[in-house]
Amino acid sequence: VPMGEGYEIQVLDWLWYGYHDREHADDIRRALEIDWQPRALAFIPEIEAKLPVLIRAYEGFLRAAYSVADDAWVEPSADCPGWTYHDIVAHISSNEAGRRARLFRAVLGEGQITDPSLSDIDGWNEAAVAERRDWPIRRLIDEYAAAWNSIRESLANFRPEHLETKVEFTGVATLSIAEFLDRMGGHVSGHAGHLVAASRARRHSH
């Protein structure tokens, strides 16, 4: 069952719906803890066209994270050497927060975005993951959900000229915001695929 770029599950994974209960239990907890009202958002056509892939990646990652077996989080991931399955979620949650900041700066009209984290991506990733190593998964998911909501709010403020803002990845590439958005979904989906091996469905299917 294809779920996104680099993210594929099997029918046995698809049929395991335990993730659904876990995800909505957290939704209810969050609703009881936070005084928040959703905003009605409207997007320019260029952003509207990119949203389905971004939404699919966001929701697919949640499915993968909530499917991980409770005893698997501290195990090393074969797909991400040096990281545990917990570290993968920490990477995605911290990364989304960084993306939110870059998109917000684009809306402010910065012609080119440079960021200390983009001059040493691997070093920044390692530091962000290490900072979150003791965080419970629930806190990481909360950070991820909050960042995604802020990303959507930032995208609702975009105008066509903002899509040409440049994001500089030092020594790697310089991308327009439009290209940056195109890559966002693939990155999240790929890491969702890395969590599949730790899922309850895989561990309890035999």
Side-chain angles (χ1 to χ4, degrees):
V1 182
M3 298 292 289
E5 185 179 339
Y7 179 19
E8 189 172 275
I9 61 177
Q10 299 174 357
V11 172
L12 67 90
D13 303 304
W14 184 257
L15 293 176
W16 189 75
Y17 264 76
Y19 82 91
H20 190 261
D21 296 343
R22 291 176 166 194
E23 181 174 348
H24 286 310
D26 261 4
D27 288 340
I28 293 169
R29 172 192 57 80
R30 205 175 291 117
L32 293 173
E33 292 176 354
I34 300 173
D35 183 14
W36 178 78
Q37 292 292 328
R39 289 172 47 197
L41 302 176
F43 306 93
I44 60 174
E46 294 90 338
I47 295 296
E48 194 77 52
K50 296 180 184 299
L51 279 176
V53 172
L54 295 175
I55 292 170
R56 182 180 176 91
Y58 169 75
E59 294 180 348
F61 187 83
L62 288 180
R63 179 195 179 102
Y66 281 113
S67 296
V68 171
D70 293 335
D71 59 353
W73 289 114
V74 297
E75 295 178 7
S77 164
D79 294 301
C80 299
W83 280 0
T84 64
Y85 292 109
H86 180 282
D87 292 339
I88 292 173
V89 178
H91 166 60
I92 289 296
S93 70
S94 60
N95 213 261
E96 288 297 277
R99 288 171 168 176
R100 170 190 60 192
R102 290 167 209 141
L103 293 172
F104 181 73
R105 289 170 63 185
V107 173
L108 292 179
E110 295 189 25
Q112 177 150 329
I113 297 171
T114 57
D115 188 307
S117 69
L118 302 181
S119 62
D120 180 13
I121 296 174
D122 290 340
W124 186 89
N125 283 335
E126 289 296 338
V129 167
E131 178 186 349
R132 291 161 174 77
R133 196 149 275 148
D134 294 330
W135 288 20
I137 289 297
R138 179 175 288 176
R139 183 178 176 186
L140 295 174
I141 295 294
D142 284 352
E143 180 182 46
Y144 179 53
W148 168 242
N149 182 66
S150 294
I151 284 172
R152 291 178 66 251
E153 291 181 344
S154 292
L155 292 176
N157 291 313
F158 265 58
R159 297 296 173 261
E161 61 270 20
H162 297 143
L163 297 173
E164 297 308 313
T165 300
K166 302 298 182 183
V167 182
E168 182 182 356
F169 293 81
T170 306
V172 180
T174 298
L175 306 176
S176 68
I177 283 291
E179 294 168 322
F180 181 64
L181 291 172
D182 288 338
R183 295 195 182 192
M184 279 175 56
H187 177 257
V188 173
S189 290
H191 281 305
H194 297 156
L195 296 176
V196 172
S199 72
R200 287 171 58 95
R202 294 292 173 93
R203 295 181 176 219
H204 303 293
S205 61
H206 302 295

